[in-house]
Amino acid sequence: MIEPIRLGVQRLGADLMAGTTLAMTMIPEAMTLAFAAGLAPLTGLYSAALMLLVISLLGGRPAMAAMSTPALVLIMADLAVTHGLRYLFASVIMMGLLQLGAWVLRLGKFIRILPQPVVLGCICGLTVEIFWQQMGYFHTPTTASGTWMTGTTLVSMLSICLVTMLLIRFLPRYVPYLSPGFIAIVVLSWICIGFHIDVQTLAEVTAWSGAPPHLQWPSLPLDMPTLAIVMPYALLMAIVGLSETLFTLNVTDEATNTRGRSNQECLAQGIANLASGCLGGMPGSGHFGQSMINLQNGGRSRLSTLVAVALIIYFSTSGRQWMDDIPVGVVVGIMLMIAFSTFELAFIRIVRKVPRREQVVTLLVAVTTLTTNLSLGMLVGVILSALGFAWEHAKHVRVFAHLEGDTRVYVLHGPLFFGSAQSFQGLFQPVSDPDRVVIDFRFSRVYDHSGLEAIEQLVERYSQAGKTLLLRHLSTKCRALLNAKAQGLVEVNLIEDPQYQIASDLD
C-alpha cells in the first residue's frame, strides 16, 4: 500500500516540476516568436496558453507541448506584412477549419508510415535549428542586431549556460526525482540575485506589452478575392502545423514507449487554432523542442502541461516580476542541452542501425529541414525513401525455370512494377527458348501499368520469334487491362488465380 502511494507522490512531483520548467522555457520563446510575427509579445503568451490548454484537454498525447513554431511564424510574418493582421487572423481561423477537416477524413494516421530515416533526419535538422535559435541570445540587446557579446557579459552568459548544462547532465544521477531544469532556474536565479551578478535577464530581452485576448471576428468581405488571399496561407499553415504536430507525436510515442492518437490530435489542433484565430491569437502546433523539455524533465501526464498553462497565465498577469530576474543563460542552457542530447540519440541510431543508403536519405532530410522547413524535409524524405524502396525491390525479381515435357516453365518471383520492368525483360531469351513457353505468376504480383506493358512487350518478343507463350496465374484485373493479343495467351484458372488490384489509369 505504501509503495503505490510513494510512486504516486513521485509522479505528481515530477509532473509539477516538469510543468514549471516547461512554462519557464515557453514564455520567452512565445514572446520572441510573437515579436517576430509583428504581434505584441503578450499575444504570444496568451496564444501559447490557449493552444497548450486545448491540447492538454483534448489532445491524443499526454505531456506533449504545443505553441507557435518558427516555421509557422515565417508564414505569419509574410502574410501580416503583405496583407495585414486581419488576413492573418482569418487565415488562422481557416487553418483550424482545415485541420478539423483532416480529423473528419482521418488523415492523421498517415504520419505513422513515415520511414525511420525521414524521422531521424527531421530530428537532426530540428535540433540543429533549435541550437542555432539560441545563438541569437548571445547578441548584445543594446546594440544593432547581429552584434555578438564581448567581455564580462559574454563570460557571464557562457558561465551560466555551462553550469545549467552541467546540472542537467549530472544532477539526475544524484537526485533522480527532481527536475534538473527547474533546479537550474531556481538556484542560478537565486545566486545571481543574491550576489548581484550582472547578467542578462528576461526583462532585458522581452517586453510585457499587449492586451488580453477577446473575441474579434476579422472584418473582411466573404468573397472570392478574400478567399484567394487567405486560402493559400491557411493551407500551408495547416500542412506545416499538422506535420510538426504529428511528427512530434511520433517522436514522443517512441521516447515514452506508448502510443498517442494521431486523429484525436488533429481534432485538438483544429479546435485550438480556430479558437486562437477568433480571439486574435497566433496559430500553433505540436512543438518538438518544448515537448522534449517536458519529457526529459519527468513530465508524463496531462498535469504537467496544465501546470504550464496555469503558470503562463499567472506570469502573464500578476506574476511578471518573478520572471524578470531569471537569467537568459539558464533558459538558453536548457534549450541547448535538449538539442545536444536529442541530436546525440538520433546520431547514434543513424550510425549504428541505419544502412548507408538510408544514411544519405537522413542527411538530405536534415539539410532540407534545416534550410527550408519541416514539411518540405518530410516530403523530400518520403520521395527519396520511396525511390530507394523501388530500387531495392527491383533487384529482387527473378525466375526459376524447369521443363514440363517440351514446354519450358518460368516461375516468376518478386514484384513486377515500374522499378523492376526492365529487369523482368532481361530474364527471358525468346530466341533460345523452346517453341512452347509458360510464365507462371503464382509467386509474383503485377502492381502498375509499367508491369502490364512489360508483359505485353514480352508477348510481342515471343511472337516475333515464332514461339508460343502462355501466361499463368494472373489476376482477373490484370487480364482485363492487358491488350487483346496478350489476353488471348492467358490461362484462366478460377480457383487458383489470385485476386488483387493494379495501379493503372486504364480502368
Side-chain angles (χ1 to χ4, degrees):
M1 183 64 180
I2 297 178
E3 183 64 18
I5 295 177
R6 185 180 67 85
L7 292 176
V9 172
Q10 291 177 355
R11 178 77 273 139
L12 176 62
D15 281 327
L16 290 174
M17 285 188 290
T20 303
T21 305
L22 177 62
M24 297 300 180
T25 56
M26 286 184 67
I27 287 173
E29 182 172 1
M31 297 177 69
T32 302
L33 291 177
F35 180 79
L39 299 172
L42 202 57
T43 302
L45 291 181
Y46 285 124
S47 299
L50 174 62
M51 177 67 60
L52 193 57
L53 175 63
V54 176
I55 297 306
S56 300
L57 296 177
L58 303 178
R61 164 81 262 172
M64 190 175 85
M67 61 180 294
S68 200
T69 64
L72 291 174
V73 167
L74 291 176
I75 304 172
M76 282 190 293
D78 182 72
L79 176 57
V81 171
T82 306
H83 300 286
L85 293 179
R86 294 185 305 165
Y87 288 93
L88 170 60
F89 300 141
S91 294
V92 177
I93 294 174
M94 181 61 69
M95 171 190 180
L97 293 174
L98 291 173
Q99 291 178 328
L100 288 176
W103 168 68
V104 172
L105 298 175
R106 304 185 67 81
L107 299 179
K109 59 186 177 183
F110 290 107
I111 199 67
R112 301 288 185 184
I113 65 175
L114 274 180
Q116 194 66 13
V118 178
V119 175
L120 294 177
C122 290
I123 290 175
C124 291
L126 286 174
T127 51
V128 174
E129 182 180 351
I130 291 172
F131 169 82
W132 191 248
Q133 288 169 7
Q134 306 315 305
M135 294 301 101
Y137 290 104
F138 287 88
H139 292 162
T140 304
T142 57
T143 60
S145 177
T147 303
W148 295 91
M149 293 178 176
T150 57
T152 56
T153 305
L154 178 60
V155 172
S156 300
M157 184 73 167
L158 289 175
S159 300
I160 292 175
C161 284
L162 180 60
V163 171
T164 301
M165 296 171 71
L166 291 175
L167 286 173
I168 293 175
R169 178 67 178 86
F170 295 107
L171 190 62
R173 295 184 180 181
Y174 307 101
V175 192
Y177 303 117
L178 294 180
S179 166
F182 175 76
I183 298 300
I185 291 174
V186 173
V187 172
L188 291 175
S189 297
W190 179 83
I191 291 175
C192 291
I193 294 173
F195 290 91
H196 304 285
I197 300 176
D198 185 17
V199 295
Q200 190 180 44
T201 63
L202 292 184
E204 298 177 36
V205 298
T206 56
W208 299 95
S209 61
H214 57 281
L215 188 62
Q216 48 176 334
W217 188 261
S219 56
L220 293 172
L222 299 177
D223 53 17
M224 289 305 297
T226 300
L227 187 62
I229 295 174
V230 169
M231 182 57 74
Y233 285 100
L235 182 60
L236 182 57
M237 287 194 296
I239 293 174
V240 171
L242 286 180
S243 297
E244 293 188 316
T245 297
L246 298 177
F247 170 76
T248 303
L249 179 72
N250 212 28
V251 174
T252 52
D253 280 356
E254 187 172 330
T256 59
N257 198 27
T258 57
R259 184 176 179 85
R261 293 174 293 168
S262 53
N263 281 301
Q264 183 69 23
E265 200 63 40
C266 292
L267 171 64
Q269 292 288 326
I271 294 175
N273 283 305
L274 181 62
S276 183
C278 292
L279 295 173
M282 301 169 63
S285 66
H287 195 291
F288 170 77
Q290 300 294 349
S291 296
M292 295 308 295
I293 286 175
N294 194 32
L295 292 176
Q296 293 189 15
N297 280 283
R300 288 297 182 272
S301 73
R302 299 180 190 272
L303 176 62
S304 61
T305 48
L306 289 173
V307 168
V309 171
L311 289 175
I312 291 174
I313 294 175
Y314 170 73
F315 287 122
S316 301
T317 54
S318 58
R320 301 177 186 177
Q321 69 276 10
W322 298 105
M323 294 293 299
D324 287 343
D325 293 328
I326 293 178
V328 174
V330 178
V331 179
V332 173
I334 293 174
M335 295 298 293
L336 288 177
M337 199 60 193
I338 294 298
F340 286 146
S341 59
T342 305
F343 184 86
E344 180 184 12
L345 290 174
F347 183 77
I348 290 174
R349 293 182 60 185
I350 293 170
V351 173
R352 291 183 178 178
K353 299 182 179 180
V354 178
R356 184 64 57 84
R357 174 178 56 83
E358 295 184 353
Q359 288 178 0
V360 175
V361 174
T362 302
L363 177 62
L364 292 175
V365 171
V367 172
T368 305
T369 301
L370 184 61
T371 55
T372 56
N373 56 62
L374 177 64
S375 297
L376 186 57
M378 293 172 65
L379 177 61
V380 169
V382 169
I383 293 175
L384 292 176
S385 297
L387 292 176
F389 176 84
W391 175 262
E392 285 297 315
H393 281 69
K395 298 185 294 185
H396 293 164
V397 61
R398 59 197 185 279
V399 293
F400 297 92
H402 64 275
L403 290 176
E404 294 181 359
D406 296 332
T407 301
R408 175 167 291 174
V409 178
Y410 289 99
V411 181
L412 184 67
H413 289 253
L416 184 53
F417 65 113
F418 70 91
S420 60
Q422 191 67 32
S423 301
F424 171 78
Q425 292 285 351
L427 296 174
F428 305 96
Q429 300 296 330
V431 176
S432 59
D433 274 342
D435 293 337
R436 183 178 174 85
V437 175
V438 174
I439 301 179
D440 192 338
F441 291 84
R442 181 192 303 269
F443 303 107
S444 178
R445 289 290 184 272
V446 182
Y447 283 104
D448 60 9
H449 184 61
S450 296
L452 295 173
E453 286 188 342
I455 295 174
E456 294 171 354
Q457 291 173 8
L458 190 62
V459 168
E460 188 63 29
R461 288 172 59 195
Y462 274 98
S463 176
Q464 292 177 358
K467 307 295 176 65
T468 301
L469 175 66
L470 295 178
L471 306 175
R472 184 179 295 169
H473 293 130
L474 287 174
S475 70
T476 303
K477 189 69 172 180
C478 186
R479 294 197 304 268
L481 294 177
L482 288 171
N483 60 28
K485 186 173 184 178
Q487 286 181 1
L489 302 177
V490 177
E491 290 185 358
V492 179
N493 188 324
L494 297 180
I495 297 177
E496 296 183 359
D497 286 347
Q499 299 294 326
Y500 54 84
Q501 297 297 315
I502 297 177
S504 175
D505 58 355
L506 298 180
D507 55 341

